Amino acid sequence: MPSKLQSNGTLYDDFPWVHQLTAPKAHASAPFLPWHRYYIHAYEKAWKENCDYNGHLPYWDWSQDFQTFTAAPVWDPRTGFGGDGDAAKPSTVVDGRCIVDGPFAGTEALYYAENIQPHCLSRGFEQDERLQELGELIRPAVLEELMRESAFETFAPELERRAYTFISRSIRGDFSRYTGPYDSSVISTREDVAPLQEDHDCGAIGLVANGFLFYADPVFFLHHANLDRLWAKWQMLDPEYQMTAYRGKANSFTSEPASLADLLDVGGLLEPVPVSSVMDTTGGIFCTSTRRRGTE
C-alpha cells in the first residue's frame, strides 16, 4: 500500500514519519499519553481500512517479562516478531545486530539518524546484571505503586520515563533512538537505575531523519498499546476524577499549561481532535476499539 502522505514509501512509513515530525512536542509533556492514544488509534484504523485486518491492536505487557525479557513470547520467531540480533555478526547501529529469525528477518532500514545508512533491522538485547537492573523499572510491584499516584502530572511522566528507559536500553539497535528528544530529566542514566530497586502490501519498515528514529520495529506499536492500557486502567481507578485529569506543559517547547481543549495533531493520519475527545476509551471515536483498550 503506497504512502498517503509522501511521494514515496509505504502506508506503514507514514506512521514513523508522522511520529518523527511530532515527537518534539508529544514527548516529555502532558500530551504524551493522549497523543499516542490517538496515534495508535489511527494505526489500527489504517490496518482495518486498508489491509483487511479485522482484529484489534494487541499490546505487550512487558512487566510480565521483567525477569525473563529475552524469552518473552513477543520475540518468538514463529508466533511473535523474531528475537535478538545475531551475536556472531558485527554491530550495525548502537549495539544492534541483524535479526535473523521471525517475519522481519532480512528487513532493511534505509536511514539512521539524519544519514542515509542502509542497514538490517537490528536489535541488541542487553544481558545479565544490566538487564536485570533495567527490569526493576517495570517490575509489577513498582507499576502497582505508580498506579496509586492520583496526580496525572506525576503519574504520566513517571510511566513514560520508566517504560522508555527499559524498552530503549533493553532492546537497543533500532530502538536506541526510540525516545526522540529526551534529556537527562526524562530518561534515567545507568546510575539512576540501581537506586530505584523498586501482509506485506502495507509495508514493514520505517525511515529516519533529523535525528529522530523512524520506528522500523513494529514492536513499537505493541509497546504503546500497553502504555495506553495502563493509562486506561489508571483512569478507571477513579473515573469521576481521573477520566478528565490532565495537567502539565502543553508541549515540550512551552511553559504554557495543558488544556483538554488543546488539539492533537497526528500529521494528516486523521483530523486533529481536542484532547477531551480521547480521554474515554469506552465510547466516541474509540467505540470500535474497546477490546484493545480494556482494563483487564
Side-chain angles (χ1 to χ4, degrees):
M1 178 70 65
S3 166
K4 295 186 176 182
L5 301 179
Q6 305 173 81
S7 60
N8 54 20
T10 68
L11 176 62
Y12 183 90
D13 292 324
D14 288 345
F15 287 86
W17 174 256
V18 165
H19 195 280
Q20 183 272 332
L21 290 176
T22 58
K25 288 188 176 182
H27 288 258
S29 57
F32 173 75
L33 289 174
W35 187 91
H36 282 89
R37 175 173 284 177
Y38 193 41
Y39 175 72
I40 62 174
H41 169 68
Y43 182 71
E44 181 180 81
K45 193 170 187 290
W47 273 98
K48 290 184 175 183
E49 293 180 353
N50 299 281
C51 305
D52 296 324
Y53 181 63
N54 296 316
H56 297 273
L57 184 60
Y59 62 84
W60 169 31
D61 182 359
W62 18 253
S63 72
Q64 299 302 308
D65 302 311
F66 84 104
Q67 290 182 310
T68 56
F69 170 78
T70 59
V74 72
W75 308 127
D76 187 277
R78 187 177 64 85
T79 59
F81 291 76
D84 197 5
D86 186 349
K89 300 294 184 181
S91 175
T92 51
V93 290
V94 193
D95 297 318
R97 299 166 299 276
C98 301
I99 60 172
V100 295
D101 58 14
F104 300 100
T107 300
E108 183 177 80
L110 299 180
Y111 295 84
Y112 190 74
E114 69 277 8
N115 303 314
I116 297 175
Q117 185 180 329
H119 66 280
C120 55
L121 181 60
S122 301
R123 299 177 187 139
F125 292 168
E126 187 57 90
Q127 301 293 325
D128 303 325
E129 182 179 345
R130 175 57 178 152
L131 183 58
Q132 292 304 310
E133 290 176 351
L134 288 165
E136 290 299 306
L137 288 164
I138 49 88
R139 184 161 47 95
V142 171
L143 294 182
E144 288 172 10
E145 182 177 350
L146 179 58
M147 296 291 277
R148 290 192 285 271
E149 172 57 58
S150 61
F152 177 87
E153 62 270 31
T154 303
F155 166 79
E158 185 64 6
L159 178 62
E160 179 183 4
R161 182 185 73 84
R162 288 179 177 276
Y164 271 135
T165 304
F166 172 74
I167 285 290
S168 64
R169 296 183 181 185
S170 296
I171 301 175
R172 301 187 299 181
D174 276 305
F175 266 86
S176 293
R177 293 268 182 141
Y178 188 97
T179 49
Y182 289 131
D183 58 28
S184 59
S185 68
V186 179
I187 293 300
S188 296
T189 62
R190 177 175 297 223
E191 290 72 25
D192 290 329
V193 174
L196 289 172
Q197 294 307 315
E198 310 186 13
D199 140 34
H200 299 295
D201 286 345
C202 285
I205 195 67
L207 307 174
V208 177
N210 299 330
F212 301 106
L213 181 66
F214 278 15
Y215 302 136
D217 200 323
V219 173
F220 167 81
F221 293 98
L222 279 69
H223 160 67
H224 264 291
N226 190 50
L227 284 175
D228 192 54
R229 180 185 70 90
L230 291 171
W231 180 30
K233 287 185 67 174
W234 179 85
Q235 289 180 299
M236 293 304 295
L237 292 174
D238 184 3
E240 185 175 354
Y241 168 70
Q242 290 176 186
M243 193 64 72
T244 56
Y246 183 65
R247 295 183 64 183
K249 295 194 303 180
N251 64 68
S252 59
F253 292 163
T254 183
S255 59
E256 292 296 315
S259 165
L260 289 171
D262 294 341
L263 291 180
L264 300 172
D265 183 358
V266 290
L269 296 171
L270 293 174
E271 290 298 316
V273 298
V275 172
S276 59
S277 70
V278 306
M279 298 299 282
D280 183 357
T281 65
T282 63
I285 64 173
F286 299 126
C287 64
T288 61
S289 303
T290 53
R291 274 184 285 172
R292 171 176 61 78
R293 298 183 179 85
T295 57
E296 67 277 15

